C-alpha cells in the first residue's frame, strides 16, 4: 500500500461548506434572472400573456432565493451584513446587491402586474429587473469560479456559459409550462436554445478540464451530472417534438427544469470532491507571467 | 545521552540550538530517534541498557590514544593516588570487586580505600542503606587529604593504571558487540569529543532519566564523570556534566530533601547507631575539604529545626531526629504497605499508581493501607484506585474490600502561591502569587504548617517525652492574608539562616557549630544575604555579563559553575584565553573572574597545607574539588558507592543478552523484591524485545497536569508504542492499530506507531528490536490509557533506589482494537 | 567556521504602517507545539477534536478555525538508510493579495495597519466564501463549540495577534517558541534573515533547504506576511506549489460572464425573432 499523497493525504484547499440550499438558489436565481429578461422582451414584443407568465414565474422563484441563502449562512441572523459594504472583488458582494435591487425591481413589476396599479412604474421595474437579471444569472458562476477549487476555477471561462444556458433553459421552460401554446413559442425556443448552450458548454468545459473533469464522473457529483444531462437533452428534444402541445411542453419543460436543477447540484457537489483531490498536488497554479509581478498597490488591497 | 532534551526540556534546549547555530556539534546517543535527534548533528542509535559499555569505550579510547588532558588529570584528579593492595577489580574477579559478601548482598569497601587508610567507616557498618553524597565525600576517617600518590602515574596500583586496566577490554569492537554502535560511528564520536576538549575547547555531557533509571544508573553517570575528568572538562565553561531533572523543582526536592536518607544540604540522615551528635559527627565529618565543616552545618540545621529548645547541653536536640536503620525508600515502603507494616501514607504531588514501576503493586499496596492522604491539583489515579483502577475494572480488587480511608485535599497550583523554585543548574528563582487559590485549595506550605500547628496545639499539655519531638520544633512563621498562608519569604530567610542577633547570614562561611547560628540548609545560605530575597532578583540578562549573576541565586554562594577553580591551571592562570573563567589575581591576592570562585577566595594557588590543618585548610591551592576529602576529582571512588569504585558494564536486570564481559551479568548489588506481585521476566524466549519508558513534550509525568488539560490532551491523546517496521512485520502490527505489550507483570495495550525512527540493533551477533513506551497515561483524565509502568517490575539502583525502567524486556502482540 | 546567522534576541514593537509578519525557520523547529498552545490560550481558540490522527506526532492535522498554528511532522527515509524528521509550524500566510479578503462580502475580513489580514468575528455571517477561496486551505467555519457559542458559525483564522501588536507585543506563538524558529518582525528584515539562513544551510550542503513565499514578487499572491524555510517540497507540508490568488483572474471571469449574458440575450432575440406565435 503506497503512502497517501502530500501531507498524510490532507487536502491543500479546504472543502467548500455550501449546502444543498445553495444549489437550489443557483437554479432559482438563474430562473428568476432570465425570466425577467424573457418577460421584458415579451413586453416589448407585445405579448402580454407571456410577459405576465414570465414575470410571475420569476417572482415566485425570487421569493425562494433569500430564505435559501440565509439558511446556508453560518450565522443566518447576520444576513444583513451582506449589505454592509459593496465590494467589487467579491462576486458574492456584487451578487447580494444585484439580488437586492433585482428583487426590488421585480417586486414592483410583479405588484403592478397583479394589481394593475401604477403601470408605468411597473414597466420601469420590469426594465430594471431585466437589466439586473443579466448579472443575476451569471454572477453565481463567477462566484464559484473565483475560488481555489480546481474543478471550478479551471472552468472559469465555461461555467458562466453553463449557468447562462441553464438559466435560459429554465426560464423558457417555466414560461412554456405557464403559457398557452399559442403564446409560448419564444419561450419554447429559448428553452431549447438554453438547453443546447448548457449541454454544449458542459461538454467544452469537461474537455478543457481534462483529468479534473473526473470529479463530475466519480463521487457525489456523478449522479446529478448524469441526470442533468439526460433530463436536459431529453427535455429539449421533447420540447422540439411535442412542445406545440401544452401537455408536451409541460412534460418537456419539467424535464428541462429538473435537468437545470440537477446541473447546479452537479457543479456544487464537484467542488468538495475537487478540493479533496488537492491533497495530491492537483491545485490551481500561477502562470509564468503571474509570478514575478509586483504586488497590487496597497490601496487596492 | 540518556536524555531527550528537546522534548522534555524544550525551553532549555534553545541554548543547545544556539550553540549548534554557532557551529557546536550536537551528538544524540539514544535508542530512539526523537525530536532531539532530529535537531542534533548526529544521532547514534544504541541498545537501551548498554551505556556503560559505550562510555567505558570512550574511557578506553581516551587512554589508549593518549587524548587525556595530562596536566589537568595529574593535578586535579586522583589519578596519581595509590589504592590499597587488597583491591581487586572486575577484571580479576570476573565482574565483581573485592569485598563482595553474598549473604549480606553488599560490598565491604575496605579494600577499595586509598593505601594507608585502614579504619572502617559507616559503609562497612551498614552496606544497605543508600548513600548521600556526603558519605562518599566524607568517608569519615577513611579519606584524608594527603594520600600516597605517584605523579608519574606508573605505580601499578595508582588510580590511573587501575582505570586503564579496568577498561582495557572496552575496545571499539566490544562497544559494537555490546551496545550495537558500529565501530566506525563510535570512533567518530570519540574523535569529536576528544578533539573538542583540552585547553582551547570544552565539551559538555547532558543526561536525564535515560541514565538515572537503571540498576546501574549511578555508575553510568560515574563513567561520564571519568570521561569528563580525563578530558579536563569539569569546572570549565562549556564543559561539565549537566543533569536535567525529570520534574519541576525536583532539584529543590533533593537539596531540601524529601528523601529518607538525607538531611538538607546532602548531609546523611542519622543511623540508628549514631547514638548522639558526637558519634554522628565523628563518623561523617571529613578531615579535609568542605565537609570538614559538617558540625557547623548540622548544628545550625538543628537550631533552625528546634530553636531555643536546642542547646549545647542536649546535643542541640540531635536525639529528636529520626533514625534510619534499613532501606526505607519509596519502593521498600510500598512493600511495607503490602506487608501491613505501613498503615498510613501522605502523597503530596506524587502519583505512584501511574508513575512508579509496577503500577499494580502500588495500587494493591495502597489498598492495604489504613489511611491515605492525597494532595494534588486533580483527583489523580492514586486517589481513586479504590474505584477505577484496572484491578477494580478486572475484578481482581473489589471496592467494598478496600478498607483504606482516602482523604483528598486539593492543592494550590504554582501560580497560586509564592515560593522558590530550584532548577537543575542549582539556580533558585522566585515565583509570586498571581491569584488566590479557589475554594479549599491550599499550598503545601499552608498544609504542613497548619497541620503541625494543630498537632502541636493538641499535644500542648502533654508530658510524654515522645511528644517533645513535635513540641520542641520551632514552628512560628508569620501568616498572611485571608487564608493564613505562611510567608514563604520568611521560610527562605530561615533556610538562609541567621546569627545569634537574628541577622540574616550572608553565606555558609558564617555558620558555627556552637549553636549561635541557625540555618535550614547550608547550601542555600546566602540566598537571603543582606536581608534581601536574592532568589527573587530578575535583572534582565541583556543588562548583565555572560554569567548573569543577578538573575535569581544559585547555590552555593551564587556560584554559577561548580568547581570552577579547575578552569585555571595549578598556578592560577586560565588554561587558555579562550576558556578563561576564574583566575588568581596576584596583585589583589584573590581569585577573580567571570563568576564567584568556587574556592576559598584568598587561598593562593601555591598554598601548601600544614600537617595538622583540617577542613578547607587541609586542601592545597591547586585542589579544585573542595567537597572531596582529598580535594581531587575521583576517577576511582574509594568510598560512597555501594556497587563499586569503578563502573563495569552490567546487563539490565531483564535483558535478552548475557554479559559479554563478565560472568557476573547484572549489578550484583541491585535491589530486587522477590514478591508475588513483582515477578521478573525469566524466560528470554518469551520476552525477546528490549523495552524502555520514554517521555513526550506534550505531557508531563503521569499526566495529572497535562491529561487534565484539554489543549494538551488534544496534542497527544492516546498511549502509543513505537516500533520498527521490521518488528511490526514480525508481529503483524498495523499502523494506527493496537498492540499488547506483554511482560510477567501483565499486559498493557497501546496504539501502534510504526516508524523508521526505530531500528533493530545488532548486538552480540544478532539483531534485537526495541519498543518505546511513553509513560504518561492512566485511567483518569480527559484522555485515558494504559500505564507503561504497569509493564515494568521493581528493580533498583542500590545507591539511590531508583527504578530500572529504561531497559527491560517484553513481548508485543497484535490486538484487535482498543481496550474495552 | 563562525556563523553569522542568529535568531533575533529582542524584538521592537510593530509600528503602524510597517508591514510585519513571520519568518518560520523550520530547520530549527523542535516540534514542541508551544506555538499551538500559546495561540490557543491567548486567542481563546477552542479544543474541537481530541483524536489520535495516526500521522506521526501530529494530532492537530491541519489549519482550521480551531487550529491557527499547526505543527507538521514528516518522517523521511534518507538515501543512506537514516531518517530525517521534518517539523514545521504552519500558519495563515497573511497574503498581500488575500483571496479571503477579496471575496468576503460583509467586509468582515480587513487589512490592518500592520498589513496583516484579520477576520472580525462579530461581523462575519459565515457565508463560507473565504474557505473555498484560500489557496492554502487556512480557514474553516467554527461549528458546534458549546463553550464559545458566540463564535459558532463564523470563519476564523490567525489574526497575527492583532491585539498584541496593538499593545506593542509580538504574537503569542513567536513569544512562546523556545528556539525562535518562529520569528516576528518587519518583513524586509525577515526577508533578509531568510535569505541569509538559506544561504548558510546550502553552504553546509543542505541543498534541500529552500524558502517559501519569501520573495514578494515571485509568487501569485503578491507577497506574504508569513514566509518559511522548508526542508522539502511544499507539497510535503500540505502547501501549494505556486499558489495564486483567484482574484488575479476575476476580470476574465466577469468577461466570460458578460459574454454568456450576451449570448443569452442573443438567444432571447432569436427566440422572439424566429417565432410566429
Amino acid at each position: 500500500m503506497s503512502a497517501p499523497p502530500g501531507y498524510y493525504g490532507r487536502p491543500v484547499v479546504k472543502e467548500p461548506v455550501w449546502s444543498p440550499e445553495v444549489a437550489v438558489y443557483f437554479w432559482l436565481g438563474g430562473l428568476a434572472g432570465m425570466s425577467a429578461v424573457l418577460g421584458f422582451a415579451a413586453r416589448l414584443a407585445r405579448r402580454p400573456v407571456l410577459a405576465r407568465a414570465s414575470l410571475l414565474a420569476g417572482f415566485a422563484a425570487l421569493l425562494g432565493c433569500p430564505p435559501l441563502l440565509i439558511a446556508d449562512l453560518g450565522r443566518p441572523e447576520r444576513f444583513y451584513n451582506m449589505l454592509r459594504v459593496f465590494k467589487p472583488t467579491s462576486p458574492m458582494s456584487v451578487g447580494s446587491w444585484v439580488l437586492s435591487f433585482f428583487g426590488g425591481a421585480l417586486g414592483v413589476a410583479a405588484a403592478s402586474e397583479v394589481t394593475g396599479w401604477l403601470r408605468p412604474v411597473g414597466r420601469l421595474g420590469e426594465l430594471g429587473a431585466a437589466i439586473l437579471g443579466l448579472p443575476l444569472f451569471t454572477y453565481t458562476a463567477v462566484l464559484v469560479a473565483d475560488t481555489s477549487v480546481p474543478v471550478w476555477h479551471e472552468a472559469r471561462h465555461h461555467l458562466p456559459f453553463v449557468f447562462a444556458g441553464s438559466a435560459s433553459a429554465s426560464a423558457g421552460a417555466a414560461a412554456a409550462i405557464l403559457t398557452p401554446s399559442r403564446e409560448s413559442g419564444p419561450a419554447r425556443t429559448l428553452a431549447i436554445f438554453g438547453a443546447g448552450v448548457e449541454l454544449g458548454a458542459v461538454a467544452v468545459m469537461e474537455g478543457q478540464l481534462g483529468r479534473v473533469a473526473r470529479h463530475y464522473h466519480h463521487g457525489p457529483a456523478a449522479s446529478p451530472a448524469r441526470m442533468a444531462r439526460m433530463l436536459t437533452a431529453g427535455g429539449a428534444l421533447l420540447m422540439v417534438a411535442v412542445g406545440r402541445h401544452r401537455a408536451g411542453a409541460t412534460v418537456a419543460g419539467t424535464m428541462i427544469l429538473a435537468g437545470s436543477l440537477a446541473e447546479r447540484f452537479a457543479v456544487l457537489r464537484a467542488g468538495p470532491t475537487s478540493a479533496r483531490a488537492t491533497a495530491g498536488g492537483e491545485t490551481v497554479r500561477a502562470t509564468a507571467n503571474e509570478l514575478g509581478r509586483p504586488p497590487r498597490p496597497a490601496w487596492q488591497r | 545521552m540518556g536524555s531527550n532534551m528537546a522534548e522534555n526540556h524544550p525551553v532549555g534546549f534553545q541554548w543547545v540550538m544556539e550553540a549548534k547555530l554557532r557551529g557546536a556539534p550536537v551528538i544524540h546517543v539514544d535508542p530512539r530517534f526523537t525530536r532531539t535527534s532530529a535537531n542534533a548533528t548526529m544521532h547514534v542509535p544504541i541498545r537501551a541498557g548498554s551505556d556503560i559499555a559505550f562510555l567505558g569505550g570512550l574511557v578506553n579510547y581516551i587512554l589508549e590514544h593518549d587524548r587525556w588532558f595530562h596536566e589537568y588529570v595529574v593535578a586535579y584528579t586522583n589519578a596519581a593516588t595509590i589504592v590499597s593492595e587488597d583491591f581487586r577489580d572486575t577484571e580479576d574477579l570476573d565482574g565483581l570487586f573485592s569485598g563482595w559478601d553474598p549473604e549480606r548482598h553488599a560490598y565491604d569497601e575496605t579494600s577499595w580505600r586509598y593505601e594507608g587508610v585502614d579504619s572502617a567507616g559507616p559503609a562497612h557498618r551498614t552496606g544497605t542503606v543508600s548513600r548521600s553524597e556526603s558519605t562518599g565525600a566524607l568517608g569519615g576517617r577513611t579519606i584524608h587529604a594527603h594520600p600516597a600518590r605517584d605523579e608519574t602515574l606508573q605505580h601499578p596500583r595508582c588510580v590511573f593504571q587501575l582505570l586503564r586496566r579496568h577498561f582495557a577490554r572496552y575496545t571499539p569492537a566490544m562497544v559494537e558487540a555490546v551496545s550495537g554502535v558500529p565501530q566506525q560511528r563510535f570512533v567518530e564520536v570519540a574523535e569529536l569529543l576528544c578533539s573538542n576538549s583540552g585547553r582551547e575547547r570544552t565539551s559538555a555531557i547532558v543526561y536525564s532519566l535515560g541514565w538515572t533509571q537503571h540498576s546501574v544508573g549511578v555508575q553510568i553517570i560515574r563513567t561520564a564523570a571519568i570521561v569528563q575528568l580525563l578530558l579536563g572538562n569539569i569546572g570549565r565553561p562549556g564543559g561539565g556534566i549537566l543533569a536535567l531533572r525529570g520534574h519541576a523543582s525536583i532539584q529543590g526536592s533533593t537539596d531540601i530533601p524529601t528523601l529518607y536518607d538525607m538531611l538538607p544540604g546532602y548531609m546523611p540522615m542519622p543511623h540508628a547507631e549514631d547514638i548522639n551528635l558526637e558519634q554522628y559527627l565523628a563518623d561523617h565529618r571529613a578531615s579535609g575539604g568542605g565537609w570538614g565543616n559538617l558540625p557547623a552545618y548540622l548544628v545550625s540545621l538543628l537550631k533552625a529545626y528546634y530553636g531555643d529548645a536546642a542547646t549545647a547541653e542536649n546535643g542541640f536536640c540531635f536525639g529528636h531526629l529520626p533514625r534510619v536503620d534499613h532501606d526505607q525508600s519509596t519502593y521498600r515502603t510500598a512493600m511495607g504497605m503490602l506487608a501491613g507494616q505501613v498503615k498510613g501514607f501522605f502523597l503530596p504531588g506524587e502519583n505512584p499508581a501511574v508513575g512508579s514501576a509496577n503500577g499494580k503493586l502500588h495500587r494493591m499496596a495502597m489498598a492495604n493501607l489504613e489511611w491515605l492522604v492525597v494532595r494534588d491539583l486533580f483527583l489523580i489515579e492514586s486517589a481513586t484506585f479504590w474505584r477505577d483502577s484496572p484491578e477494580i475494572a478486572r475484578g481482581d480488587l473489589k471496592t467494598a474490600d478496600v478498607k483504606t480511608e482516602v482523604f483528598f485535599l486539593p492543592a494550590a497550583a504554582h501560580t497560586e502561591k509564592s515560593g522558590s523554585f530550584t532548577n537543575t543548574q542549582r539556580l533558585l528563582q522566585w515565583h509570586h502569587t498571581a491569584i488566590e487559590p479557589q475554594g479549599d485549595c491550599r499550598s503545601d506550605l499552608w498544609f504542613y504548617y497548619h497541620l503541625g500547628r494543630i498537632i502541636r496545639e493538641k499535644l500542648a499539655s502533654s508530658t510524654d517525652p515522645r511528644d517533645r519531638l513535635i513540641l520542641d520544633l520551632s514552628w512560628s512563621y508569620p501568616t498572611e492574608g485571608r487564608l493564613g498562608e505562611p510567608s514563604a519569604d520568611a521560610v527562605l530567610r530561615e533556610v538562609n539562616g541567621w546569627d545569634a542577633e537574628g541577622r540574616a547570614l550572608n553565606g555558609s562561611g558564617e555558620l558555627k557549630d556552637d549553636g549561635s547560628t541557625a540555618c535550614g540548609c547550608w547550601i542555600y545560605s546566602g540566598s537571603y544575604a543582606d536581608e534581601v530575597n536574592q532568589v527573587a532578583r530578575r535583572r534582565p540578562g541583556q543588562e548583565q555579563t555572560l554569567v548573569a549573576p543577578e538573575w535569581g541565586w544559585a547555590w552555593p554562594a551564587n556560584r554559577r559553575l561548580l568547581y570552577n577553580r579547575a578552569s585555571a591551571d595549578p598556578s592560577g592562570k586560565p588554561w587558555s584565553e579562550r576558556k578563561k573563567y576564574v583566575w588568581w589575581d596576584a596583585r589583589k591576592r584573590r581569585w577573580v573572574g567571570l563568576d564567584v570562585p568556587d574556592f576559598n577566595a584568598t587561598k593562593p594557588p601555591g598554598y601548601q597545607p600544614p600537617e595538622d590543618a583540617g577542613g578547607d585548610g587541609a586542601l592545597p591551592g591547586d585542589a579544585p574539588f573542595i567537597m572531596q576529602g582529598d580535594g581531587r576529582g575521583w576517577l576511582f571512588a574509594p568510598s560512597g558507592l555501594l556497587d563499586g569504585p569503578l563502573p563495569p558494564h552490567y546487563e539490565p536486570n531483564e535483558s535478552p543478552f548475557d554479559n559479554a564481559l563478565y560472568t557476573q551479568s547484572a549489578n550484583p548489588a541491585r535491589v530486587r523484591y522477590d514478591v508475588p506481585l513483582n515477578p521478573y521476566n525469566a524466560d528470554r524466549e518469551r520476552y525477546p524485545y528490549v523495552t524502555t519508558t520514554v517521555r513526550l513534550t506534550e505531557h508531563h509525568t503521569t499526566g495529572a497536569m497535562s491529561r487534565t488539560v484539554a489543549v494538551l490532551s488534544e496534542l497527544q491523546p492516546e498511549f502509543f508504542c513505537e516500533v520498527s517496521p521490521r518488528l511490526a512485520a514480525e508481529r503483524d502490527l498495523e499502523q494506527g492499530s493496537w498492540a499488547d505489550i506483554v511482560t510477567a507483570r501483565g499486559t498493557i495495550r497501546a496504539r501502534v506507531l510504526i516508524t523508521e525512527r526505530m531500528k533493530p540493533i545488532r548486538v552480540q551477533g544478532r539483531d534485537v528490536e526495541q519498543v518505546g513506551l511513553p509513560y504518561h497515561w492512566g485511567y483518569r483524565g480527559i484522555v485515558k490509557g494504559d500505564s507503561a509502568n504497569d509493564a515494568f517490575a521493581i528493580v533498583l539502583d542500590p545507591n539511590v533506589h531508583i527504578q530500572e525502567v529504561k531497559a527491560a524486556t517484553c513481548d508485543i502482540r497484535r490486538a484487535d482494537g482498543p481496550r474495552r | 567556521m563562525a556563523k553569522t546567522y542568529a535568531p533575533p534576541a529582542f524584538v521592537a514593537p510593530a509600528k503602524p504602517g510597517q508591514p510585519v509578519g513571520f519568518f518560520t525557520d523550520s530547520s530549527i523547529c523542535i516540534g514542541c507545539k508551544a506555538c499551538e498552545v500559546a495561540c490557543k490560550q491567548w486567542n481563546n481558540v477552542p479544543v474541537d477534536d481530541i483524536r489520535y490522527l495516526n500521522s506521526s506526532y501530529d494530532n492537530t492535522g491541519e489549519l482550521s478555525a480551531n487550529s491557527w498554528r499547526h505543527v507538521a511532522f514528516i518522517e523521511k527515509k534518507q538515501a543512506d538508510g537514516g531518517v530525517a524528521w521534518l517539523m514545521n509550524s504552519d500558519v495563515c500566510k497573511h497574503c498581500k493579495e488575500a483571496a479571503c479578503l477579496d471575496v468576503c462580502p460583509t467586509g468582515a475580513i480587513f487589512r490592518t495597519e500592520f498589513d496583516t489580514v484579520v477576520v472580525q468575528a462579530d461581523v462575519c455571517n459565515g457565508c463560507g466564501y473565504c474557505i473555498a477561496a484560500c489557496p492554502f486551505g487556512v480557514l474553516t467555519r467554527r461549528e458546534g463549540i458549546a463553550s464559545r457559542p458566540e463564535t459558532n458559525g463564523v470563519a476564523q483564522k490567525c489574526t497575527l495577534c492583532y491585539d498584541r501588536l496593538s499593545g506593542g507585543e509580538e504574537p503569542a506563538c513567536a513569544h512562546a517558541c523556545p528556539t525562535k524558529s518562529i520569528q516576528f518582525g518587519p518583513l524586509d528584515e525577515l526577508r533578509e534573515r531568510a535569505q541569509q539562513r538559506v544561504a548558510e544551510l546550502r553552504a553546509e550542503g543542505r541543498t534541500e533547504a529552500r524558502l517559501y513565499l519569501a520573495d514578494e514578487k515571485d509568487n501569485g499572491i503578491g507577497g506574504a506576511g508569513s514566509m518559511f524555510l522548508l526542508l522539502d517540497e511544499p507539497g510535503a507540508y500540505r502547501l501549494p506549489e505556486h499558489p495564486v490568488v483567484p482574484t488575479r483572474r476575476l476580470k476574465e471571469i466577469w468577461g466570460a460572464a458578460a459574454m454568456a449574458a450576451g449570448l443569452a440575450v442573443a438567444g432571447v432575440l432569436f427566440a422572439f425573432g424566429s417565432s410566429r406565435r
Side-chain angles (χ1 to χ4, degrees), chain A residues 131-293:
Chain A
I131 293 172
L132 289 170
L134 295 175
L136 184 65
F137 66 77
T138 50
Y139 96 88
T140 46
V142 177
L143 192 153
V144 295
D146 188 28
T147 60
S148 294
V149 179
V151 78
W152 291 342
H153 187 80
E154 303 297 8
R156 59 190 179 278
H157 298 133
H158 306 105
L159 273 172
F161 289 92
V162 174
F163 278 37
S166 191
S168 305
S170 298
I177 293 171
L178 296 171
T179 313
S181 317
R182 238 177 22 93
E183 305 285 342
S184 69
R188 285 182 272 124
T189 308
L190 183 62
I192 295 160
F193 173 82
V197 170
E198 185 180 350
L199 291 166
V202 164
V204 175
M205 175 180 80
E206 291 197 7
Q208 289 286 93
L209 281 175
R211 207 170 162 258
V212 179
R214 74 186 186 285
H215 302 305
Y216 282 110
H217 307 139
H218 304 284
S223 174
R226 265 194 312 273
M227 280 180 32
R229 284 123 219 213
M230 282 189 333
L231 287 166
T232 304
L237 288 171
L238 203 62
M239 189 69 87
V240 168
V242 297
R244 236 160 269 128
H245 308 286
R246 189 69 187 269
T250 304
V251 173
T254 307
M255 283 174 72
I256 289 172
L257 279 165
S260 173
L261 175 63
E263 182 60 40
R264 309 309 186 125
F265 268 98
V267 172
L268 188 67
R269 284 190 182 181
T273 314
S274 174
R276 277 197 293 278
T278 57
E282 185 179 283
T283 56
V284 173
R285 279 159 196 259
T287 56
N289 70 332
E290 282 173 327
L291 304 173
R293 256 179 44 182

Side-chain angles (χ1 to χ4, degrees), chain A residues 16-214:
Chain A
V17 296
W18 294 317
S19 53
E21 281 96 314
V22 171
V24 180
Y25 165 71
F26 286 167
W27 179 63
L28 288 179
L31 173 56
M34 198 55 195
S35 293
V37 176
L38 177 60
F40 185 69
R43 190 71 70 195
L44 290 178
R46 291 182 216 289
R47 286 170 178 264
V49 177
L50 180 57
R52 185 188 176 89
S54 281
L55 190 55
L56 296 179
F59 184 70
L62 169 69
L63 285 178
C65 291
L68 289 167
L69 288 179
I70 292 171
D72 176 66
L73 291 176
R75 293 295 283 264
E77 76 278 11
R78 291 184 188 168
F79 70 91
Y80 52 82
N81 279 353
M82 289 303 195
L83 302 178
R84 200 172 155 268
V85 297
F86 173 69
K87 231 158 125 185
T89 56
S90 170
M92 194 182 280
S93 175
V94 171
S96 301
W97 285 98
V98 164
L99 180 64
S100 302
F101 280 113
F102 173 87
L106 191 61
V108 164
S112 173
E113 176 68 25
V114 165
T115 61
W117 298 343
L118 298 170
R119 280 277 145 91
V121 178
R123 294 290 184 267
L124 269 175
E126 287 174 30
L127 170 63
I131 293 172
L132 289 170
L134 295 175
L136 184 65
F137 66 77
T138 50
Y139 96 88
T140 46
V142 177
L143 192 153
V144 295
D146 188 28
T147 60
S148 294
V149 179
V151 78
W152 291 342
H153 187 80
E154 303 297 8
R156 59 190 179 278
H157 298 133
H158 306 105
L159 273 172
F161 289 92
V162 174
F163 278 37
S166 191
S168 305
S170 298
I177 293 171
L178 296 171
T179 313
S181 317
R182 238 177 22 93
E183 305 285 342
S184 69
R188 285 182 272 124
T189 308
L190 183 62
I192 295 160
F193 173 82
V197 170
E198 185 180 350
L199 291 166
V202 164
V204 175
M205 175 180 80
E206 291 197 7
Q208 289 286 93
L209 281 175
R211 207 170 162 258
V212 179
R214 74 186 186 285

Side-chain angles (χ1 to χ4, degrees), chain B residues 6-7 9-15 17-18 20-23 32-35 38-39 542 696-698 709-718 720 722 735-737 751-757 759 782-783, chain C residues 1-3 5-7 9-10 26-33 36-37 40-41 46-54 56-60 66-67 73 75 77 81-85 87 178-180 197 206:
Chain B
E7 296 205 33
H9 299 82
V11 178
F13 194 73
Q14 70 180 289
W15 310 119
M17 292 299 282
E18 279 213 11
K20 186 181 157 206
L21 284 171
R22 289 202 197 106
R32 298 156 64 229
F33 185 101
T34 67
R35 283 176 269 198
N39 286 282
Q542 296 100 279
L696 304 166
T697 312
E698 295 84 347
V709 176
V711 68
L712 295 175
S713 299
E714 191 182 35
L715 297 178
Q716 286 285 15
E718 287 196 35
F720 61 88
E722 288 189 328
Q735 184 73 285
S737 185
R751 283 270 197 172
V752 174
L753 204 171
I754 303 171
T755 167
E756 294 281 353
R757 296 180 289 105
K759 288 199 189 324
I782 296 171
V783 291
Chain C
M1 176 181 47
K3 300 284 173 173
Y5 170 82
F10 191 70
S26 74
S27 72
I28 58 177
C29 173
I30 60 174
C32 72
K33 307 177 191 173
E36 291 197 32
V37 176
K40 285 215 172 193
Q41 292 199 310
V47 167
D48 66 343
D49 187 24
I50 299 182
R51 216 164 28 107
Y52 183 77
L53 294 182
N54 200 15
S56 189
Y57 280 13
D58 176 7
N59 293 299
T60 303
N66 300 321
S67 294
F73 289 82
E75 301 191 20
K77 244 183 120 152
V83 64
W85 205 1
M87 299 162 208
T179 57
K180 291 289 163 269
R197 179 61 179 154
R206 300 193 58 184

Side-chain angles (χ1 to χ4, degrees), chain B residues 303-601:
Chain B
K303 286 298 286 183
Y305 279 168
Y306 299 106
D308 294 332
T311 64
E313 288 71 41
N314 63 21
F316 300 105
C317 290
F318 176 84
H320 286 356
L321 288 176
R323 304 293 201 272
V324 296
D325 64 352
H326 63 280
D327 165 15
Q328 283 167 302
S329 64
T330 190
Y331 286 100
R332 177 63 184 78
T333 304
M335 299 302 163
M337 292 183 208
L338 282 174
Q341 295 163 347
V342 177
K343 312 278 189 211
F345 201 42
F346 280 85
L347 207 51
E350 175 94 8
N351 195 7
V354 175
S356 291
N358 198 342
K360 174 173 175 177
L361 186 145
H362 295 278
R363 300 188 289 265
M364 300 300 283
M366 289 190 289
N368 217 31
L369 289 167
E370 285 181 11
W371 55 269
L372 173 69
V373 177
V374 179
R375 276 187 41 83
D376 217 300
L377 304 178
F378 295 94
L379 275 174
I380 56 174
E381 288 82 356
S382 298
T384 63
F385 67 91
W386 49 271
R387 68 169 189 224
D388 56 11
S389 64
E391 290 69 45
I392 298 282
R394 279 195 299 265
D396 298 341
L397 190 65
K398 293 188 184 26
T399 302
D401 295 339
V402 178
K403 302 212 177 11
T404 317
E405 191 171 358
V406 181
F407 300 84
F408 181 79
L409 302 171
H414 69 286
T415 45
E416 298 168 338
K417 54 191 182 182
S418 295
S420 68
F421 192 105
T422 308
N423 273 27
T424 186
Q425 75 271 42
R426 298 166 286 105
L427 180 68
L428 280 76
Q429 297 174 98
W430 196 259
H431 58 94
H432 302 268
T433 308
I435 183 172
E436 224 182 55
Q438 294 181 29
D440 290 334
C441 296
R442 297 288 183 273
S443 69
D444 285 309
L445 183 55
W446 184 97
F447 176 75
Y448 287 107
Y449 169 71
H450 287 290
L451 181 68
R453 177 183 61 76
I454 293 168
I455 290 174
R456 283 158 56 87
E457 281 166 18
K458 288 185 187 296
L459 294 177
S461 54
S462 167
T463 52
D464 187 341
R466 186 185 72 178
D467 295 332
R468 297 313 316 164
L469 270 62
I470 303 288
L471 293 170
D472 282 345
L473 285 168
S474 125
W475 204 257
S476 70
Y477 298 91
T479 58
E480 300 166 332
R482 185 178 64 87
L483 301 177
E485 179 79 12
S487 161
D489 192 87
V491 174
L492 180 70
R493 191 168 178 280
E494 182 185 59
V495 165
N496 173 78
W498 49 68
D499 61 16
E501 283 82 49
R503 188 187 56 92
L505 298 173
N506 286 338
S508 61
E510 295 179 18
L511 292 173
K512 307 260 185 295
D513 65 357
D514 59 5
S516 60
T517 56
C519 174
C521 180
W522 71 275
I523 53 177
Y524 280 36
S525 188
S527 57
Y528 215 91
D530 300 321
E531 298 290 357
V532 168
N533 183 338
Q534 305 287 337
V535 173
R537 296 182 302 168
R538 285 187 190 175
R539 184 141 177 247
Q542 296 100 279
E543 297 172 22
Q544 298 194 59
T545 63
L546 173 76
V547 162
E550 288 178 65
W551 179 280
W553 185 88
W555 67 261
N558 205 25
R559 293 166 182 152
R560 300 301 169 115
L561 200 152
L562 222 47
Y563 302 125
N564 56 36
R565 164 71 181 89
S567 66
D569 67 20
S571 74
K573 202 160 129 322
W575 294 107
S576 66
E577 181 61 26
R578 196 170 175 276
K579 288 286 174 175
K580 71 180 185 190
Y581 197 73
V582 303
W583 53 89
W584 175 253
D585 185 320
R587 213 172 36 83
K588 293 192 189 143
R589 297 204 53 77
R590 63 185 305 117
W591 292 91
V592 299
L594 303 174
D595 192 1
V596 176
D598 191 15
F599 205 64
N600 182 323

Side-chain angles (χ1 to χ4, degrees), chain B residues 760-783:
Chain B
I761 302 252
R762 192 149 192 87
V763 172
Q764 287 164 229
R766 62 184 172 91
D767 284 343
V768 68
E769 296 280 357
Q770 307 192 88
V771 179
L773 301 173
Y775 87 108
H776 305 292
W777 278 269
Y779 44 90
R780 297 192 59 78
I782 296 171
V783 291

